[in-house]
């Protein structure tokens, strides 16, 4: 019986479509196997059904075959071109980064007072402004840290005084109020001394100190 010509279009009936898919899928996988055995060829077939189910055959390791296809396939030249473009882009980015690093190193040396021979009067004035601004910010940060430390010490002193009162009450003795006041005053005195020390001119160091 002569088989009629099948029209190449989507089969509308879902049952017929599934049956046809199963038959032809098995036929393709069988032919791929035969081709690999009879001709000693490296053959790989990947099929996804309409529902996303995977069917595959490979005469060797599938991943190796895919890598080989990527290397020798039609897109090989395009991939090579893209790789060269990517490498060129990376090279330009490296060069730009190297230039930025060089500029930052020069700027750091100038801020440390070195390499100023080539600077003009305006450049030196600009460097001076940057140093003054940096010094101001450092002193502000130092003052904030000092205040936080002072508040912690005062709070700790108060807790010690309260603890002293509680312990004295348990022991039936008179609290050492005078000593407690002196202790709190000592904390305030220490903070005052630290405050005076903070008013001393602050030196600005940028980078590693040079001997």
């Amino acid at each position: 019986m002569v088989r009629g010509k099948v029209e190449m279009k989507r089969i509308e009936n879902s049952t017929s479509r599934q049956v046809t898919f199963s038959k032809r899928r098995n036929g393709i996988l069988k032919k791929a196997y035969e081709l690999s055995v009879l001709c000693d060829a490296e053959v790989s077939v990947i099929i996804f059904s309409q529902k996303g189910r995977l069917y595959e055959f490979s005469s060797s390791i599938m991943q190796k075959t895919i890598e080989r296809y990527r290397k020798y396939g039609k897109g090989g030249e395009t991939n090579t071109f893209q790789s060269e473009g990517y490498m060129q882009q990376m090279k330009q980015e490296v060069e730009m980064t190297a230039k930025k690093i060089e500029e930052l190193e020069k700027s750091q040396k100038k801020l440390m007072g070195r390499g100023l021979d080539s600077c003009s009067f305006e450049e030196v004035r600009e460097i001076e402004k940057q140093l003054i601004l940096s010094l101001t910010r450092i002193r502000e940060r130092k003052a904030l840290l000092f205040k936080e430390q002072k508040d912690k010490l005062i709070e700790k002193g108060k807790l010690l005084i309260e603890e002293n009162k509680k312990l004295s009450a348990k022991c039936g003795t008179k609290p050492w109020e005078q000593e407690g006041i002196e202790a709190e005053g000592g904390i305030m005195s220490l903070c005052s001394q630290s405050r005076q020390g903070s008013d001393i001119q602050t030196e600005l160091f940028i980078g590693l100190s040079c001997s």
Side-chain angles (χ1 to χ4, degrees):
M1 182 177 179
V2 180
R3 187 175 181 181
K5 186 176 180 181
V6 178
E7 186 178 359
M8 287 293 105
K9 69 176 184 177
R10 182 177 182 271
I11 301 174
E12 297 299 333
N13 184 276
S14 60
T15 303
S16 299
R17 186 166 61 246
Q18 182 61 36
V19 172
T20 302
F21 172 79
S22 298
K23 289 181 178 180
R24 298 201 175 225
R25 178 200 67 211
N26 294 334
I28 291 175
L29 296 178
K30 181 180 178 182
K31 290 295 182 183
Y33 168 74
E34 293 174 351
L35 181 62
S36 65
V37 174
L38 295 175
C39 304
D40 194 22
E42 183 176 349
V43 181
S44 293
V45 178
I46 299 175
I47 301 173
F48 286 99
S49 68
Q50 185 181 14
K51 295 182 179 180
R53 184 174 297 178
L54 171 64
Y55 301 91
E56 62 179 318
F57 165 79
S58 180
S59 59
S60 61
I61 299 175
M62 177 68 74
Q63 188 62 34
K64 289 184 177 180
T65 304
I66 293 175
E67 292 297 330
R68 186 176 182 183
Y69 170 76
R70 289 177 177 174
K71 184 177 180 180
Y72 297 102
K74 294 181 179 180
E77 296 180 358
T78 304
N79 292 336
T80 302
F81 176 77
Q82 292 177 349
S83 299
E84 291 178 354
Y86 176 75
M87 293 299 296
Q88 186 66 23
Q89 181 181 355
M90 292 298 297
K91 183 178 179 180
Q92 292 177 356
E93 291 182 0
V94 170
E95 292 177 353
M96 291 177 60
T97 303
K99 290 180 179 179
K100 289 181 179 179
I101 293 174
E102 184 179 358
E103 292 175 358
L104 289 173
E105 289 178 347
K106 289 181 179 179
S107 178
Q108 185 184 36
K109 289 181 179 179
K110 291 178 181 179
L111 290 173
M112 296 176 65
R114 294 184 296 175
L116 299 176
D117 296 339
S118 60
C119 295
S120 64
F121 178 76
E122 293 298 328
E123 289 176 339
V124 173
R125 285 188 60 183
E126 185 63 29
I127 294 173
E128 183 182 16
K129 290 180 181 179
Q130 293 179 9
L131 289 172
I132 292 174
L133 179 60
S134 298
L135 187 57
T136 301
R137 291 176 177 174
I138 291 172
R139 285 176 173 169
E140 289 176 353
R141 178 59 179 169
K142 182 179 178 181
L144 178 61
L145 293 174
F146 169 78
K147 183 179 180 301
E148 292 177 353
Q149 186 177 15
K150 182 185 72 173
D151 293 341
K152 289 180 181 179
L153 289 173
I154 293 174
E155 188 64 27
K156 185 177 180 180
K158 291 180 179 179
L159 292 175
L160 290 174
I161 293 172
E162 291 297 326
E163 186 68 21
N164 177 42
K165 291 180 179 179
K166 292 178 181 180
L167 291 174
S168 298
K170 289 182 179 180
C171 297
T173 59
K174 186 178 180 180
W176 296 345
E177 295 180 358
Q178 183 64 30
E179 293 187 9
I181 294 173
E182 290 178 357
E184 186 176 358
I187 294 173
M188 296 300 297
S189 175
L190 177 61
C191 293
S192 178
Q193 292 176 8
S194 300
R195 179 63 179 175
Q196 292 176 1
S198 66
D199 293 336
I200 300 175
Q201 184 176 3
T202 304
E203 295 183 2
L204 176 62
F205 293 93
I206 301 178
L208 300 175
S209 57
C210 299
S211 57

